Amino acid sequence: MSTIAADFKKLTAHAKEYGFIYQSSEIYDGLAAAYDYGPNGVLLKNNLKEYWWRSMVQLHDNIVGIDAAIFMHPKTWKASGHVDAFNDPLIDNKDSKKRYRADVLIEDFMDKIEGKINKEIAKAKKRFGDDFDEAQFRETNPNVLRYAKQHNEIGTRLATAMTNGDMAELKQIIEDLGIADPDTGSKNWTDVRQFNLMFSTQLGNIAGEEGKLYLRPETAQGIFVNFVNVQKTTRQKLPFGIAQIGKAFRNEIVARQFIFRMREFEQMEMQFFIQPGTQMEWYKYWKETRLKWHKALGHPAEKLRFHDHENLAHYADAAVDIQFEFPFGFKELEGIHSRTDFDLGAHQELSGKKMQYFDPQTKESYVPYVLETSIGADRLFLATMSHALREEQVPGQDDPNKRRDVLALHPAIAPIKAAIMPLKRNDERLVNMAKDIFNDLRYRFDVQYDDTGAIGKLYRRQDAVGTPFCITVDFDSLADGEAPGTVTVRDRDTLEQARVKIEDLAGFIGPKVDMATLLAEAGK
Ligand code: GAP
């Protein structure tokens, strides 16, 4: 447990120190659950968004993009169900005056039980060594069976209470389990009540309820209300999709774990419009496709898993999360939802405008069904960074004290593709040559010139931000040197150094850092 906390602490400190993420308005002691992306952070985030956009829009003939406004007509949120049902159950502690999500308190309790199961397994693994059969142990060990039963019972009670919107039962579960305020240990709780997560604001020229606007809590509705516009202008036939990247806002009660749960965040959503009755086939297709996409990015299979929803959102007939093992455990990274005709049907009813598709084959008009993939750009950023950041022994060094922090990002998403540095910063010839290379490569890649320290220190700094290549101009590079017109290119992961002709540099680096390489891996 303490290792996990230390890892996470290191990640957040690293993110700040190297210009990835800063606390919002830090000089005023920060604003809870709001973060800013720094110079390296914005590059990494843009690359992740580009990877998503290109794999959706550029590589699918039948997916097109839009960029809808954040403000939408307030009726949008009535039709979508967000005004009435986009709630979290909150509970206050009367002594500490702290506010919590009742379901999260119960889930945290369940995580502790899972922790006990894992502890039993780890103990047994140590005892039995190579002969240990985990599956058999889980099925037979009385302690594990007891914990698993308790875990399942709580899970079922929680899911039923959430589905039924039964606030009294949630309070009862908290009392039955003896859950205390995590900060103070007090069990003096209020009743549980529903809390709507939408932020609202007011139009300047209309007073009162009439002028009330919401900041969108999901980007998906901007896609639904444009379904007919897009279908008509692109003449797409079903199945086809509309993709969008944009900000969303939720007044989260529990906003924590760094950029995992924020009040302002960015979503990458794709609504895939399909014939009613085909949703399970497409559900399966998008589950597989999206998992492959994550693996290509370098997220290993054991850090990803599917988690079926027990408690379906008001719009879904099937839903699954792709969970990622963050430093604080397996949590939702992406949602794949079969949304039926709920949204288009509701907009059709409330607006009085037809949200239908004329099927040229069956000669019928109908409201399409929708399969949605929805991922938070910030959560993807956190998953990517938390997996990529490692402290390791410097490759090729025997001395155990020679360690480095390295951000082992896929080269195509690394903020800086190559750093160019002169071996000595006070030698004008080396500096000029390095600057010429930099000024040439910057037209093609995000590159950096750096001569602010000794070469070893510069390498470490580039490792820490994930730069896949360091290009060094040394005395051999000069016209009177041993290998004129060549430079060394150091590989971040292997530390191997290749001697490359200056005119071949773009060709040497290009294919490795090209997004096409990553997209091709995802498509395999
Ligand atoms: N349109 C469907 C929808 O919004 P969701 O499961 O509520 O579904 C989709 O959200 C994704 O958006 C999540 O899987 C997560 O990656 C991201 N997300 C949701 N709430 C978030 C928050 N408060 N902070 C950061 N990311 C969030």
Side-chain angles (χ1 to χ4, degrees):
M1 192 65 195
S2 66
T3 337
I4 290 171
D7 282 354
F8 193 41
K9 218 168 143 197
K10 180 172 170 114
L11 175 73
T12 52
H14 191 95
K16 180 175 177 195
E17 185 179 351
Y18 290 98
F20 286 91
I21 295 168
Y22 311 124
Q23 173 74 63
S24 158
S25 1
E26 196 186 75
I27 58 165
Y28 295 105
D29 295 333
L31 177 70
Y35 289 90
D36 301 335
Y37 285 81
N40 284 317
V42 69
L43 291 172
L44 174 55
K45 192 182 187 198
N46 283 345
N47 291 340
L48 288 168
K49 289 195 284 186
E50 186 188 341
Y51 173 44
W52 184 88
W53 184 265
R54 287 175 63 172
S55 71
M56 283 291 178
V57 180
Q58 188 175 330
L59 294 183
H60 284 92
D61 296 341
N62 61 347
I63 299 182
V64 294
I66 62 163
D67 182 14
I70 287 173
F71 289 137
M72 300 181 70
H73 194 286
K75 279 187 180 170
T76 309
W77 307 110
K78 186 74 191 154
S80 68
H82 285 82
V83 171
D84 298 319
F86 195 54
N87 301 320
D88 273 345
L90 74 81
I91 188 163
D92 291 295
N93 188 280
K94 291 184 200 161
D95 296 328
S96 69
K97 310 273 179 261
K98 290 213 160 152
R99 181 163 282 184
Y100 296 93
R101 254 175 74 176
D103 56 331
V104 171
L105 284 177
I106 300 167
E107 278 168 8
D108 285 350
F109 188 89
M110 291 169 68
D111 284 349
K112 281 190 194 139
I113 301 175
E114 211 170 307
K116 286 182 188 168
I117 295 177
N118 292 336
K119 222 170 163 180
E120 292 284 342
I121 291 171
K123 261 195 325 201
K125 237 183 208 163
K126 216 169 156 190
R127 196 161 1 112
F128 295 115
D130 288 346
D131 296 335
F132 181 61
D133 180 342
E134 186 178 322
Q136 194 194 11
F137 185 77
R138 279 182 182 273
E139 278 167 26
T140 52
N141 180 273
N143 286 346
V144 170
L145 286 172
R146 187 164 38 82
Y147 291 140
K149 183 164 173 271
Q150 193 192 4
H151 191 274
N152 284 345
E153 281 169 2
I154 301 170
T156 309
R157 269 184 87 181
L158 174 62
T160 313
M162 292 294 285
T163 308
N164 299 337
D166 188 344
M167 300 298 111
E169 169 65 355
L170 285 177
K171 167 108 188 256
Q172 195 58 54
I173 300 173
I174 288 172
E175 283 181 349
D176 290 351
L177 299 176
I179 294 176
D181 182 324
D183 278 354
T184 62
S186 157
K187 294 181 185 170
N188 193 7
W189 296 111
T190 61
D191 286 342
V192 179
R193 51 193 197 286
Q194 297 278 27
F195 175 80
N196 192 284
L197 296 184
M198 282 196 294
F199 281 104
S200 63
T201 185
Q202 192 69 31
L203 273 176
N205 58 348
I206 305 173
E209 269 302 298
E210 290 275 286
K212 189 171 177 183
L213 280 189
Y214 295 103
L215 278 92
R216 66 180 177 198
E218 61 171 7
T219 57
Q221 297 304 324
I223 294 179
F224 287 123
V225 299
N226 277 301
F227 163 72
V228 174
N229 280 339
V230 174
Q231 197 276 324
K232 282 201 170 134
T233 50
T234 60
R235 279 176 265 120
Q236 286 279 354
K237 295 197 169 49
L238 256 54
F240 82 94
I242 305 178
Q244 176 170 217
I245 299 179
K247 290 265 182 168
F249 304 83
R250 296 183 189 178
N251 200 355
E252 302 279 2
I253 301 163
V254 186
R256 58 176 187 182
Q257 285 150 339
F258 198 33
I259 56 169
F260 180 81
R261 196 179 301 286
M262 295 192 286
R263 298 200 167 100
E264 173 185 343
F265 56 99
E266 213 165 355
Q267 285 189 316
M268 307 194 281
E269 299 203 292
M270 194 278 298
Q271 315 299 129
F272 201 65
F273 299 92
I274 53 177
Q275 243 183 1
T278 62
Q279 67 266 35
M280 282 308 132
E281 178 189 319
W282 286 112
Y283 186 58
K284 188 165 170 275
Y285 170 84
W286 281 109
K287 271 175 75 173
E288 284 165 13
T289 306
R290 295 301 303 148
L291 193 66
K292 258 204 286 186
W293 184 90
H294 285 284
K295 286 185 184 162
L297 201 50
H299 298 160
E302 65 276 12
K303 281 199 167 238
L304 292 161
R305 71 180 187 195
F306 286 120
H307 174 78
D308 288 316
H309 284 209
E310 286 158 14
N311 172 33
L312 289 175
H314 60 274
Y315 49 71
D317 74 350
V320 68
D321 292 337
I322 296 180
Q323 291 189 334
F324 180 82
E325 191 177 15
F326 289 94
F328 38 83
F330 272 100
K331 299 274 174 212
E332 173 184 351
L333 171 59
E334 169 156 6
I336 297 167
H337 312 124
S338 170
R339 289 181 80 130
T340 67
D341 56 359
F342 175 87
D343 303 85
L344 289 181
H347 287 306
Q348 175 167 279
E349 197 173 322
L350 197 61
S351 68
K353 307 278 172 11
K354 279 217 154 65
M355 301 297 276
Q356 298 191 347
Y357 170 76
F358 176 74
D359 192 324
Q361 271 176 341
T362 61
K363 309 269 185 268
E364 277 174 342
S365 288
Y366 53 82
V367 177
Y369 268 33
V370 170
L371 213 291
E372 166 185 73
T373 73
S374 172
I375 179 166
D378 314 272
R379 251 182 226 189
L380 177 64
F381 186 107
L382 182 59
T384 306
M385 219 173 142
S386 70
H387 172 61
L389 182 61
R390 41 197 87 142
E391 190 198 323
E392 63 174 32
Q393 168 95 30
V394 176
Q397 294 273 352
D398 296 331
D399 179 354
N401 295 320
K402 293 251 174 200
R403 302 189 68 76
R404 64 168 185 165
D405 286 335
V406 61
L407 200 58
L409 298 167
H410 191 294
I413 56 158
I416 306 293
K417 307 302 183 205
I420 300 106
M421 41 193 70
L423 187 64
K424 292 251 176 298
R425 65 176 150 166
N426 47 13
D427 189 299
E428 207 178 308
R429 292 168 310 158
L430 298 183
V431 167
N432 288 343
M433 191 180 248
K435 283 191 175 161
D436 283 348
I437 295 172
F438 167 67
N439 282 320
D440 180 38
L441 290 180
R442 74 192 313 181
Y443 284 93
R444 309 204 28 194
F445 313 106
D446 277 307
V447 286
Q448 208 170 59
Y449 172 82
D450 197 358
D451 65 5
T452 56
I455 207 82
K457 197 167 152 207
L458 299 186
Y459 281 163
R460 293 288 168 273
R461 200 184 291 157
Q462 294 298 334
D463 286 346
V465 300
T467 307
F469 298 106
C470 283
I471 298 170
T472 308
V473 176
D474 56 23
F475 292 103
D476 287 345
S477 313
L478 300 173
D480 55 357
E482 294 276 309
T486 67
V487 288
T488 61
V489 181
R490 168 192 179 267
D491 183 291
R492 177 196 67 200
D493 301 323
T494 61
L495 298 195
E496 275 166 20
Q497 304 219 1
R499 198 87 206 167
V500 179
K501 280 191 191 155
I502 292 171
E503 66 260 33
D504 293 343
L505 277 172
F508 182 84
I509 298 169
K512 298 177 182 106
V513 302
D514 194 343
M515 189 67 77
T517 315
L518 180 53
L519 290 166
E521 281 163 28
K524 272 183 204 154

